Amino acid sequence: MPPSSARLRGPARRDAPAGLAGAGRAATLPAQLDRWLVEAEPLREFTAMVLSTVSADGRPSSRNVLLKGSDAEGLVFFTNLASRKATQAVGQSWVSLCLPWSELARQVCVEGTVTPVSRAEAQEYWETRPRGSQLGAWASRQSSLTSRAELET
């Protein structure tokens, strides 16, 4: 088998949901996503998305973020702007997001550019977070290496 090939084994799903054809399709992509979010709501962590970015030297990186909103401008997630994910997402031309709803035999993948939300929108979100989450986010140096000595103090 050539090195660029892969073989996946397992039964094919026969109960896949209907596609996007016909009357079941929403008029706009945001409206379609809203419909699917309602369908996915019973799932555990239905707003969890995989965010994939690329570093300046071309290394890909993926991590989970939570979908916090969507509208005609795009999907919204919040992160520390000093984190690796934020610097890569804002610093590079393109990123991808994927909502993996395996239980529904569906995934929603989006590619695009990232722009920070307004300071007012970020502050509004911050104020909705539980105090413990605020303290954890404030104290965390996301994506930075920590020495054993720092962990033990």
Side-chain angles (χ1 to χ4, degrees):
M1 182 178 341
S4 61
S5 304
R7 185 183 316 267
L8 301 175
R9 299 185 191 276
R13 283 195 63 145
R14 303 263 186 242
D15 60 341
L20 286 175
R25 183 175 55 199
T28 65
L29 290 174
Q32 186 65 53
L33 180 59
D34 287 344
R35 284 185 185 179
W36 284 340
L37 283 165
V38 169
E39 290 177 27
E41 196 167 346
L43 304 178
R44 186 172 176 263
E45 300 292 345
F46 73 100
T47 61
M49 307 184 293
V50 178
L51 168 67
S52 297
T53 59
V54 179
S55 68
D57 63 353
R59 293 180 183 261
S61 181
S62 298
R63 76 287 283 154
N64 290 329
V65 297
L66 296 177
L67 175 65
K68 293 298 183 179
S70 67
D71 58 27
E73 291 184 52
L75 306 180
V76 178
F77 65 93
F78 291 90
T79 189
N80 180 332
L81 289 178
S83 71
R84 180 175 65 158
K85 70 177 151 272
T87 57
Q88 287 180 352
V90 174
Q92 298 299 316
S93 298
W94 290 87
V95 302
S96 68
L97 287 168
C98 181
L99 288 145
W101 296 323
S102 305
E103 297 91 336
L104 300 177
R106 175 177 293 143
Q107 64 181 359
V108 176
C109 299
V110 178
E111 295 176 346
T113 57
V114 173
T115 56
V117 298
S118 70
R119 188 155 183 77
E121 187 175 355
Q123 183 64 35
E124 184 179 317
Y125 168 69
W126 178 260
E127 290 170 3
T128 68
R129 296 185 73 183
R131 184 70 176 147
S133 293
Q134 289 177 341
L135 292 172
W138 178 79
S140 171
R141 294 183 321 192
Q142 292 186 13
S143 307
S144 62
L145 297 175
T146 302
S147 71
R148 183 164 192 82
E150 287 178 297
L151 292 172
E152 292 176 346
T153 55

